[in-house]
Amino acid sequence: ADRGVYSHRFPTFSGADEDAWLVGGASNVGCAILRQLDFSVDELQELSAIIDPNTDSPLSYYPLTKVGERFPIADGSKEPVLEPVP
């Protein structure tokens, strides 16, 4: 490919001639879940504004749109963890 794709987990790695990016998908699923739960743009902006990126969250979500996971472990019965809902 002649251009990179962004991944927040692996922002860049050095190639032979230039920097390139690795593909990520988890953030896309997270967005799909937020839309599936009917969060409005305004609600998402308000909730995002109160997130402190320097503080670890005690919450542990596993955002799946349906039962089953392919990566990092293939598990057709993996259940989503979507609670508590803000």
Side-chain angles (χ1 to χ4, degrees):
D2 63 350
R3 57 182 94 170
V5 179
Y6 178 76
S7 167
H8 69 284
R9 288 199 60 199
F10 305 101
T12 62
F13 66 92
S14 294
D17 297 320
E18 62 184 76
D19 287 339
W21 297 280
L22 301 174
V23 178
S27 61
N28 294 335
V29 173
C31 286
I33 292 299
L34 294 172
R35 291 300 182 194
Q36 186 174 307
L37 295 173
D38 294 324
F39 280 92
S40 70
V41 171
D42 288 339
E43 288 172 312
L44 294 175
Q45 289 175 336
E46 289 170 14
L47 290 168
S48 295
I50 60 175
I51 293 172
D52 180 355
N54 298 310
T55 302
D56 290 339
S57 173
L59 304 173
S60 181
Y61 295 105
Y62 205 94
L64 299 173
T65 57
K66 59 186 176 187
V67 173
E69 175 66 293
R70 297 179 316 209
F71 183 83
I73 298 170
D75 180 355
S77 62
K78 179 69 177 170
E79 296 278 342
V81 177
L82 305 174
E83 294 183 349
V85 176

